[in-house]
Amino acid sequence: MSTDTDCVKAELRDIVSRTWEHQKLINRVMAKRLERSQETIDDSRWILKFITLAEAGQKLDWIQSELSWLEEDGLPTVRKHLVEHAIRTAKAAIAHEAPSLV
């Protein structure tokens, strides 16, 4: 009986140990995923604000100052076509606001 109990206890210790290690791995991975997820949320909100302001023709000085780095670096967490749309919208708003030389 003692041998069976010893085997069961050893198996349970092994399960606890493996599960604990697995849980630590999950916590590390999930923390990184949560961080990336938050970056995506923040960057998407930023692009939404950028497009909304550009579309309304508001804060064009800010739009213009942000445009250069957006064109160069983009936002890796936001889909490329959305960033490209934001750039086009901003350029159109700036062009519309610029005084005509004619």
Side-chain angles (χ1 to χ4, degrees), residues 11-96:
E11 185 177 350
L12 287 168
R13 284 187 194 102
D14 184 54
I15 290 170
V16 168
S17 176
R18 284 185 290 123
T19 304
W20 175 252
E21 290 300 319
H22 189 244
Q23 184 180 21
K24 287 192 317 187
L25 174 65
I26 289 170
N27 286 339
R28 268 196 317 271
V29 169
M30 291 310 291
K32 290 177 186 174
R33 287 184 181 175
L34 280 171
E35 184 179 328
R36 284 194 311 263
S37 175
Q38 188 60 50
E39 287 173 4
T40 300
I41 290 169
D42 294 344
D43 290 349
S44 295
R45 284 180 176 157
W46 187 91
I47 283 287
L48 178 60
K49 174 184 172 183
F50 186 84
I51 290 172
T52 302
L53 290 172
E55 188 177 41
Q58 298 175 346
K59 298 188 179 182
L60 291 179
D61 53 335
W62 177 78
I63 298 286
Q64 195 160 13
S65 70
E66 300 294 307
L67 185 58
S68 61
W69 73 259
L70 185 60
E71 287 179 304
E72 290 176 22
D73 302 333
L75 283 172
T77 61
V78 178
R79 293 178 183 152
K80 187 177 179 178
H81 74 278
L82 299 172
V83 173
E84 290 170 350
H85 181 82
I87 291 169
R88 285 192 308 272
T89 303
K91 286 182 175 181
I94 292 166
H96 181 71

